[in-house]
Amino acid sequence: HYRPSEWTEFRQNLHQIVKRLKDQGFTPHVAAFSDICLGIFKESPIYAAKLKMEGLGQFPHDAHNKALYSILAGGALGQPLTSDSPIVKALETEINKAAALDNGVLILTDMETIHPLFRVSAFEQILQGKFIAPTVMCYPGEKGNIGDNPSFLGFYKSDGNYRSTHIY
């Protein structure tokens, strides 16, 4: 993970990370949460209607988040992700794309896109056992208060439910 204040530097150096992996015999597949989410939104009639409503005036922030969560998760805000959630299916697709490559590695960027709807541990939990390719989640956070677990975006408390290894 990297400090949220280092986002620009991280993005500028991502090509070097990809090159280093290639030099070590891996085939990186980079996927951005922003692109994944936008793809899901574009397929949603709810999202199209929401955009029209926003054009008519102010849309309450809380209602906005509930609608976005509903589209991505396939359920109401507060309900857990399932294996049928659109965002989970999209992540599985990206994992499978990486797994189909010779020594494929999935690099997921733009994790901040899921704020405030999801935490990374939610994806780790629902996808446990489905990571058939090494997966790197480029995570904006600070060293947290629970062991070695980072604090998402530097202002959430550390989540003890992470199953991954953290690289600082």
Side-chain angles (χ1 to χ4, degrees):
H1 85 271
Y2 54 91
R3 289 184 181 91
S5 62
E6 296 171 342
W7 181 86
T8 303
E9 182 180 345
F10 166 76
R11 293 301 293 183
Q12 290 172 341
N13 292 318
L14 181 59
H15 71 284
Q16 291 174 340
I17 295 168
V18 168
K19 183 183 180 316
R20 188 176 309 153
L21 286 168
K22 286 179 180 178
D23 290 346
Q24 293 175 3
F26 295 98
T27 307
H29 170 62
V30 179
F33 262 94
S34 55
D35 294 336
I36 292 168
C37 291
L38 185 58
I40 294 167
F41 292 149
K42 285 182 175 180
E43 293 178 8
S44 170
I46 296 170
Y47 188 71
K50 204 174 120 19
L51 287 177
K52 287 181 184 177
M53 287 177 55
E54 284 183 355
L56 299 174
Q58 280 203 349
F59 196 74
H61 188 72
D62 186 49
H64 181 72
N65 283 346
K66 286 178 183 176
L68 294 177
Y69 184 91
S70 174
I71 295 166
L72 294 173
L77 186 63
Q79 291 180 338
L81 291 171
T82 69
S83 58
D84 290 327
S85 297
I87 195 163
V88 172
K89 287 184 173 191
L91 288 172
E92 281 187 82
T93 297
E94 297 302 329
I95 292 167
N96 289 330
K97 285 178 185 177
L101 301 171
D102 186 33
N103 287 324
V105 175
L106 174 59
I107 300 173
L108 289 168
T109 64
D110 299 344
M111 298 294 296
E112 61 278 0
T113 302
I114 62 173
H115 166 72
L117 306 175
F118 303 102
R119 302 276 300 264
V120 175
S121 62
F123 298 113
E124 289 180 324
Q125 289 171 2
I126 195 72
L127 290 168
Q128 186 175 2
K130 296 180 182 184
F131 288 102
I132 57 175
T135 303
V136 178
M137 295 185 185
C138 301
Y139 186 95
E142 299 283 348
K143 192 164 182 153
N145 59 339
I146 298 177
D148 206 25
N149 292 332
S151 164
F152 185 51
L153 294 171
F155 55 81
Y156 285 108
K157 288 186 176 181
S158 294
D159 184 344
N161 291 320
Y162 290 110
R163 290 169 162 67
S164 57
T165 301
H166 301 285
I167 303 168
Y168 293 91

